[in-house]
Amino acid sequence: MNPAVRAAVRVGLAAGHEIIGIQNGFVGLINNTLNPMDWMSVSGWAVTGGAELGTSRIIPSGAELYAIARTLEAQKVDALLMIGGWDGYQAAFKLHSERANFPAFNIPIVCLPATIDNNLPGSELSIGADTALNSIVEAVDKIKQSAVASRRCFVVEVMGRDCGYLALMAGLASGAERVYLPEEGITLADLQRDLMRMRHWFEHGKRMAVIIRNEHASRMYTTPFLNALFEEEGGDLFEVRQSILGHLQQGGAPTPFDRIHATRLAVKCVERIIEAGHARQPIGEFIGLSQGKVAFHRLANMPQMMEVAARARSMNGGWTYARSPM
Ligand code: F6P
């Protein structure tokens, strides 16, 4: 997120605008914790991971919407660039859809996709997903090296919520034997078949195997469950070790791709806001990269482009897609 903020601030300033940074996302808008950003306030942000401005996952409602409207009016905010993930998109959509009730929300609102989950509409790649993927593959490579001399199966759990992007790409890049995805779920029949295959491979000389499991691939067949199942059924053929990669996936310096991607999208967003700044109907849009092209989509169309039910399940600790019985 830092490279995106840096590019947005500097392109905006260079075009003669005042740029205000909001601390901790929509919480900052509610609490009126905004700071003017100057050229040097983003110095060094081109290469740093995380989000210096801070983030939050709040989707404002009720009195919070009033507070946001007051902040926008008090600070004379003319346009809003939201850099963030699913909740940020929902929050921006909320403001957009409340325009009739809150005149302060009648300003250009543009969203820029930034989440390791890579689960946002209109874009094949969100900022951060490439950095997370690199961290995962690096970790899996090291895990694999640790096993050169022993007969082991590793179960590696990766993040991504209800989107299997990180798991699938990490599986392809690291040569995993099996990937469990939330889009497919896990059935008992899958596990039986995978166990038989694993046993067959180790019986015929395999020395090491990797299974990548997305954190929401199944509500019941968790990573510890898979670990225990494969360990028990592997018998003397192989041992099993689990590795839940956790927050190492969220950190680290952004990859060159992410830095460039962030800069490119941020510049386009600021240009779009400036160019559409005087439109009679203020724009409400989100940017995305699709088939090599950068395009803007209307916020009003966002719900149709999102699988909201999947995220709702994940927020309730519920999930996952039930695959039809085999
Ligand atoms: O949404 C990004 C994400 O990293 C998910 O992949 C993961 O499930 C979640 O955040 C972890 O959240 P927290 O950092 O609050 O534990």
Side-chain angles (χ1 to χ4, degrees):
M1 288 189 196
N2 288 330
V5 174
R6 172 182 174 273
V9 167
R10 291 195 168 171
V11 169
L13 289 172
H17 296 275
E18 277 176 50
I19 310 291
I20 300 172
I22 302 165
Q23 301 295 319
N24 301 318
F26 285 88
V27 166
L29 269 184
I30 294 167
N31 299 336
N32 195 8
T33 43
L34 280 63
N35 297 315
M37 309 285 289
D38 63 22
W39 193 268
M40 292 312 291
S41 64
V42 290
S43 174
W45 290 20
V47 302
T48 53
E52 292 291 336
L53 283 180
T55 62
S56 62
R57 288 194 176 127
I58 186 170
I59 301 168
S61 60
E64 292 161 346
L65 291 170
Y66 282 101
I68 292 176
R70 270 202 310 274
T71 301
L72 292 174
E73 278 164 359
Q75 301 271 358
K76 298 191 169 49
V77 174
D78 294 323
L80 197 59
L81 170 61
M82 197 292 301
I83 301 170
W86 184 286
D87 303 294
Y89 271 57
Q90 296 285 350
F93 178 75
K94 182 87 179 177
L95 262 53
H96 182 260
S97 51
E98 291 282 348
R99 279 179 167 176
N101 300 325
F102 298 92
F105 300 163
N106 278 299
I107 54 175
I109 300 174
V110 173
C111 301
L112 190 159
T115 169
I116 66 164
D117 299 342
N118 202 23
N119 59 352
L120 295 172
S123 196
E124 286 162 10
L125 275 174
S126 309
I127 296 169
D130 186 63
T131 303
L133 180 59
N134 274 267
S135 301
I136 294 169
V137 172
E138 197 179 319
V140 175
D141 286 351
K142 284 184 182 152
I143 288 170
K144 286 176 80 166
Q145 280 171 19
S146 78
V148 280
S150 51
R151 295 206 297 191
R152 275 196 179 164
C153 168
F154 289 98
V155 183
V156 181
E157 180 181 301
V158 303
M159 288 179 170
R161 295 194 191 240
D162 281 357
C163 177
Y165 172 82
L166 286 177
L168 183 60
M169 294 301 149
L172 288 172
S174 60
E177 272 64 23
R178 180 72 161 99
V179 179
Y180 292 121
L181 301 172
E183 288 84 353
E184 296 179 342
I186 307 176
T187 65
L188 190 56
D190 290 337
L191 293 175
Q192 279 174 322
R193 192 195 53 218
D194 295 342
L195 259 169
M196 298 309 293
R197 283 184 180 159
M198 200 66 80
R199 286 189 58 89
H200 175 82
W201 291 331
F202 278 93
E203 273 163 6
H204 289 81
K206 197 167 189 60
R207 303 199 61 79
M208 195 255 310
V210 172
I211 295 173
I212 310 262
R213 180 188 176 279
N214 160 286
E215 59 182 351
H216 286 185
S218 166
R219 186 158 56 97
M220 296 309 289
Y221 301 137
T222 60
T223 300
F225 176 87
L226 293 186
N227 182 61
L229 180 76
F230 279 76
E231 177 75 55
E232 181 66 15
E233 298 296 325
D236 293 336
L237 275 173
F238 57 89
E239 297 178 322
V240 184
R241 296 287 185 273
Q242 72 172 36
S243 188
I244 298 175
L245 295 187
H247 289 78
L248 71 81
Q249 297 161 89
Q250 290 187 15
T255 57
F257 177 86
D258 264 336
R259 297 178 199 187
I260 295 163
H261 190 36
T263 305
R264 188 180 177 204
L265 294 189
V267 170
K268 295 251 181 227
C269 285
V270 174
E271 285 174 352
R272 176 83 183 122
I273 287 171
I274 293 172
E275 154 205 309
H278 298 295
R280 260 200 339 178
Q281 180 62 36
I283 56 165
E285 296 181 347
F286 50 96
I287 196 170
L289 175 72
S290 183
Q291 299 185 337
K293 292 200 174 67
V294 173
F296 288 90
H297 307 270
R298 295 185 58 220
L299 261 179
N301 296 337
M302 196 183 86
Q304 294 93 289
M305 296 170 74
M306 280 178 141
E307 254 188 283
V308 177
R311 178 65 174 224
R313 280 195 296 276
S314 94
M315 296 307 284
N316 296 333
W319 20 286
T320 175
Y321 297 94
R323 201 201 279 186
S324 47
M326 297 179 76

